[in-house]
Amino acid sequence: MQNLRDDIPQRKPTRVLFVCLGNICRSPAAQGVMQRLVNERNLEEFYEIDSAGTYGGHSGQMPDRRMCVHARQRGYELTHRARQVTPDDLEHFDVIVGMDAANVDDLQSMAYSTGQMRKVVNMGNYIRFNRHYDHVPDPYYEGSEGFELVLDLLEDACECLLQELESKRMIIHQ
Ligand code: 4NP
């Protein structure tokens, strides 16, 4: 007898990797913000969301305590453990989102094909409401305002990025 599951077309989830320098402030926050948007829309089966850093010095650590505090005030529990981005990530993920131009440069220099190169985008491209920013600035040496700004920019940009990914998914699967 044929297994029922063989009849169900297997749709691979869209894999999104957020990348910053240390993977303890911006990218784990982006991961938390995007995951909540995906969960709120019941889209869990269509997306795999992860984050990583171009610098491996914080590998294994929980997100920065200040980032956790500010995120928690908006209802995000950040549980990601920092890890360094690997060459395999450029193959595995479909969209690789650097938080600033340095992250994008570092990621593009790891790419070994034009296909991989084209997966890399700047999160700044998705910021709609704050016209002063074309990137998500590093809050590590900033005060509370820096962390609040990061969350404001990420909430805006994740919404926009998810809208774009969803419109592509609808075209592919209609
Ligand atoms: P992130 O922030 O790239 O948003 O995780 C930073 C974390 C650590 C350092 C710099 C930025 N650091 O210099 O150790």
Side-chain angles (χ1 to χ4, degrees):
M1 201 170 90
Q2 197 183 18
N3 185 336
L4 184 63
R5 279 177 174 269
D6 291 343
D7 291 329
I8 301 170
Q10 295 295 305
R11 286 175 184 166
K12 157 173 123 43
T14 300
R15 296 172 172 138
V16 183
L17 182 69
F18 292 106
V19 177
C20 61
L21 177 62
N23 193 210
I24 54 170
C25 297
R26 293 166 291 174
S27 61
Q31 181 182 354
V33 169
M34 189 61 134
Q35 190 65 60
R36 185 163 90 188
L37 288 178
V38 164
N39 296 353
E40 282 171 355
R41 290 162 170 75
N42 297 316
L43 296 171
E44 294 93 328
E45 67 184 294
F46 301 114
Y47 291 96
E48 177 185 313
I49 317 288
D50 196 4
S51 66
T54 55
Y55 165 65
H58 295 283
S59 291
Q61 293 178 12
M62 291 292 287
D64 184 284
R65 191 188 53 79
R66 298 162 296 170
M67 192 76 252
C68 289
V69 167
H70 286 274
R72 193 172 299 124
Q73 285 167 1
R74 301 188 189 206
Y76 305 104
E77 284 300 325
L78 306 183
T79 56
H80 177 77
R81 291 273 176 183
R83 69 176 186 86
Q84 188 167 20
V85 67
T86 67
D88 282 351
D89 288 325
L90 277 101
E91 199 53 42
H92 178 77
F93 288 91
D94 303 301
V95 185
I96 303 170
V97 191
M99 295 294 129
D100 60 31
N103 305 149
V104 168
D105 283 352
D106 288 343
L107 288 164
Q108 286 183 334
S109 68
M110 287 174 71
Y112 64 82
S113 68
T114 49
Q116 289 190 352
M117 193 85 129
R118 287 174 49 205
K119 295 178 178 183
V120 180
V121 295
N122 191 323
M123 190 63 152
N125 297 347
Y126 301 95
I127 297 170
R128 283 178 293 193
F129 295 122
N130 192 329
R131 303 268 167 196
H132 299 291
Y133 289 91
D134 60 0
H135 67 288
V136 181
D138 182 353
Y140 196 67
Y141 297 104
E142 304 295 328
S144 296
E145 340 67 64
F147 288 87
E148 286 298 310
L149 173 65
V150 164
L151 287 166
D152 287 342
L153 295 173
L154 292 178
E155 286 180 335
D156 176 17
C158 282
E159 189 87 48
C160 180
L161 174 60
L162 184 56
Q163 240 175 47
E164 189 165 315
L165 294 174
E166 275 296 278
S167 63
K168 290 211 172 95
R169 188 172 69 81
M170 296 305 178
I171 293 166
I172 291 164
H173 295 303
Q174 74 188 354

